[in-house]
Amino acid sequence: PRHKPYALITYSTASLNPKERVGFAQKLEGRGKGRYRYEGLIRELGGYKVGRGVMMIPIENLKTMTAHIEKRGIDYVIRYVWA
């Protein structure tokens, strides 16, 4: 199997208030209500949620994700991995 480069992004929403935190989480992870499903940005970009405050995004989509994170004023760290 061929490996692809990913960015492992660790972020903290500690600077956000609870309402902003929920909005950010729903934008990233999507949400479902009844028969309506909204895909999150992580899945749209071909990434994975690894754990709490950690996601993996393909390198080619990194700029889109970091722009979204920075717009909300969230601290983050990027590490590069092959998976």
Side-chain angles (χ1 to χ4, degrees), residues 27-70:
K27 177 71 177 163
L28 283 190
E29 300 165 27
R31 62 191 188 97
K33 186 124 176 76
R35 61 181 176 198
Y36 300 104
R37 291 245 8 113
Y38 301 96
E39 288 295 319
L41 193 56
I42 294 175
R43 186 163 291 176
E44 280 177 25
L45 298 178
Y48 308 93
K49 183 167 168 58
V50 179
R52 193 168 175 183
V54 184
M55 61 182 135
M56 249 171 58
I57 302 292
I59 292 289
E60 62 268 19
N61 296 327
L62 181 59
K63 284 262 189 291
T64 306
M65 183 57 79
T66 54
H68 178 71
I69 295 172
E70 287 169 6

